[in-house]
Amino acid sequence: MFEALQAEFGIPQALSVVAGQNDLPKVVLTHASGARAEVYLHGGHVTSWTTAEGDELFFVSRESYFALERPIRGGIPIIFPQFGGGPLPQHGFARISDWQLISTALRDDGDISATLLLESSPSTLALWPHYFRLELEMQLSVSSLTVTMRVDNTDDNSFGFQAALHTYFGVADIHKTAVYGLQGVTLIDSLRDDAREDETREVIRFAEETDRIYLTALDQLHIADEGHGRTISIQKQHMPDVVVWNPWIDKAQRMRDFGDDEYLRMVCVETGIIAATRVLPAGERWEGKTMFTVGV
Ligand code: TA6
C-alpha cells in the first residue's frame, strides 16, 4: 500500500508515505526549514508537529493504541459528527475510521499540504444515516500548522453535526502552563453538572481535573508552555467553541491508553462546533480551520 501511495502522492524531500506504528500508513510532511508534521490515514489523525529545531509540540501517550477501531491518544483526534457521548461512538466515528489520502502539494511559498478524505460508507450509514464528505487539510509552514475541516452534505436532506479538533499539546509541566484569551467567555463546566458561568480569569492555570466548554470564544487564544519557554498561538475560523481539558490524577489512572503521570505533560485546547449542533442543508459545505503557530 505504501509504495502505491508514495508513488502517487510523494514529493521528493517534502512528503512521503511510510509505515507508522503497527504498520499503519502515515504521511510525513517535511518543510525545507526542518519543521515536520505527521498524519495517519487511520482516523485522519495528526500525531506530530515539530519545529525546525526538532521540538515536538503535540502530545501522544506512550500507552496509545495504534489499532483499527481504536482512537489514537494524543495529537489531533478528529471529532465528527458527534462531540462527547451520545448515540454514536464517543466523539463520533471519524477518529476510528480509515481515511484516504487524496492530494498533496508543495506550494510556491514552500508550505507543504496534504488532504485526507472520509466519505460516508455502508459502515458510517449504519451508524449515522446521512451522506457526507469530510476533508481534512493540513498545511505546514516553518512555524505554523493550519488544519482545515470541510464537511459537504452530499445527501438529499439536511443534517446536524458537530466537528472539532481535539488537540493535545505537549507541555514541560502542567503546573507551568497557562491558557490566555478566554476571559469573559461563558463556559459549561462538564465536571460540575454542566454548570454555566463566565470565565473571570485572564490567565487559566491548572491544579485539578479540568473539563470546560467555552461557548463562542474569541478567535485567538494562547497557550504558554513556560517550562519550555514557548507559546503556541491558536487562531480559529468558523470553529466557535473551545474546550480546555486536563484529566489530572484520578482520571489519568482510569484511562488505559494514558500513562498515570502523563497529565503532567499535556493539555487539550480544542476548537470546533462543540456545544451545539450545526445544521447543514443538502448540497452545502461547512469549512472551519485552526492555525497553530509556535513562538518563543
Ligand atoms: O474534550 C474533553 C473530553 O470530552 C473529556 O470529557 C474526555 O472524555 C476527553 O474528551 C477524552 O475523551 P476520549 O473519548 O478521547 O477518552
Side-chain angles (χ1 to χ4, degrees):
M1 167 195 280
F2 310 119
E3 296 74 15
L5 288 172
Q6 174 64 25
E8 183 175 2
F9 296 105
I11 304 172
Q13 282 85 45
L15 186 141
S16 56
V17 182
V18 300
Q21 301 234 16
N22 288 347
D23 271 343
L24 293 173
K26 175 173 79 169
V27 183
V28 181
L29 290 70
T30 306
H31 190 270
S33 66
R36 289 174 86 254
E38 302 181 352
V39 59
Y40 278 78
L41 300 192
H42 175 57
H45 203 121
V46 177
T47 52
S48 177
W49 170 38
T50 56
T51 64
E53 296 71 32
D55 300 326
E56 177 60 64
L57 297 159
F58 288 157
F59 164 88
V60 174
S61 173
R62 64 176 182 263
E63 307 291 344
S64 177
Y65 299 109
F66 284 84
L68 304 184
E69 299 300 312
R70 286 190 179 270
I72 295 169
R73 175 69 66 188
I76 309 180
I78 301 299
I79 310 301
F80 178 85
Q82 168 189 292
F83 186 94
L88 298 176
Q90 166 79 356
H91 283 325
F93 48 71
R95 65 175 185 168
I96 54 176
S97 298
D98 286 335
W99 294 52
Q100 305 166 52
L101 178 59
I102 59 170
S103 74
T104 58
L106 173 58
R107 295 156 47 106
D108 293 345
D109 59 7
D111 287 8
I112 305 158
S113 66
T115 302
L116 281 67
L117 171 69
L118 178 67
E119 271 188 308
S120 44
S121 66
S123 59
T124 68
L125 288 163
L127 290 170
W128 194 61
H130 304 292
Y131 289 85
F132 70 90
R133 286 180 87 258
L134 171 59
E135 282 187 6
L136 178 80
E137 179 183 344
M138 57 194 290
Q139 183 174 328
L140 176 69
S141 79
V142 59
S143 62
S144 68
L145 177 67
T146 302
V147 182
T148 302
M149 295 179 76
R150 299 183 186 99
V151 178
D152 291 317
N153 181 341
T154 53
D155 206 308
D156 297 328
N157 303 298
S158 63
F159 58 64
F161 72 96
Q162 295 169 313
L165 303 175
H166 193 299
T167 310
Y168 287 70
F169 296 93
V171 296
D173 180 349
I174 192 65
H175 299 102
K176 298 173 183 170
T177 299
V179 175
Y180 295 80
L182 293 169
Q183 187 174 31
V185 179
T186 299
L187 68 95
I188 296 170
D189 190 332
S190 305
L191 301 174
R192 288 193 297 124
D193 294 329
D194 291 346
R196 282 179 183 238
E197 63 187 39
D198 289 350
E199 180 56 72
T200 56
R201 296 168 294 174
E202 180 192 357
V203 185
I204 296 170
R205 291 189 176 275
F206 301 86
E208 58 186 354
E209 183 180 354
T210 301
D211 193 348
R212 298 189 189 104
I213 302 172
Y214 289 85
L215 308 178
T216 316
L218 296 179
D219 279 344
Q220 183 155 56
L221 50 158
H222 305 277
I223 305 168
D225 177 4
E226 297 159 352
H228 281 135
R230 67 184 179 217
T231 296
I232 292 181
S233 297
I234 297 172
Q235 181 74 41
K236 60 188 180 68
Q237 282 178 5
H238 308 308
M239 293 187 130
D241 304 325
V242 168
V243 171
V244 176
W245 177 60
N246 183 288
W248 217 249
I249 299 168
D250 294 346
K251 183 153 190 173
Q253 291 173 352
R254 296 197 299 270
M255 294 159 62
R256 288 186 54 195
D257 59 343
F258 191 86
D260 289 356
D261 63 336
E262 290 187 314
Y263 74 96
L264 290 166
R265 286 183 297 284
M266 55 70 68
V267 64
C268 277
V269 179
E270 307 154 36
T271 50
I273 300 170
I274 295 167
T277 296
R278 177 69 55 89
V279 175
L280 190 62
E284 296 201 10
R285 165 176 284 190
W286 166 80
E287 178 175 296
K289 74 170 62 178
T290 299
M291 174 189 274
F292 308 105
T293 305
V294 60
V296 293

